[in-house]
């Protein structure tokens, strides 16, 4: 699922690179899910980002 993941070395450097690759993949997935949820809420629930206010 993560391009190049299977080519990482199996040593300490590879462990760190694998962690970074998993972390970046998780961020990308989270961004996609968040975008989908916002689109769904905006299109189907009448929610608008303008309704959100900053709170202390």
């Amino acid at each position: 699922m993560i391009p190049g993941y299977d080519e990482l070395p199996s040593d300490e450097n590879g462990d760190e690179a694998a962690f970074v690759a998993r972390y970046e993949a998780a961020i990308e997935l989270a961004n996609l899910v968040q975008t989908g949820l916002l689109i769904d809420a905006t299109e189907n629930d009448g929610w608008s980002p303008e309704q959100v206010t900053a709170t202390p």
Side-chain angles (χ1 to χ4, degrees):
M1 288 187 85
I2 300 172
Y5 191 85
D6 59 337
E7 299 169 6
L8 296 173
S10 58
D11 60 10
E12 189 173 310
N13 292 333
D15 291 346
E16 185 174 338
F19 172 79
V20 170
R22 291 191 307 268
Y23 177 78
E24 290 174 348
I27 290 172
E28 185 176 332
L29 179 59
N31 285 337
L32 289 172
V33 169
Q34 183 179 25
T35 300
L37 291 172
L38 288 172
I39 289 170
D40 184 59
T42 303
E43 292 178 352
N44 298 318
D45 295 333
W47 180 82
S48 171
E50 290 83 25
Q51 296 171 339
V52 178
T53 60
T55 57

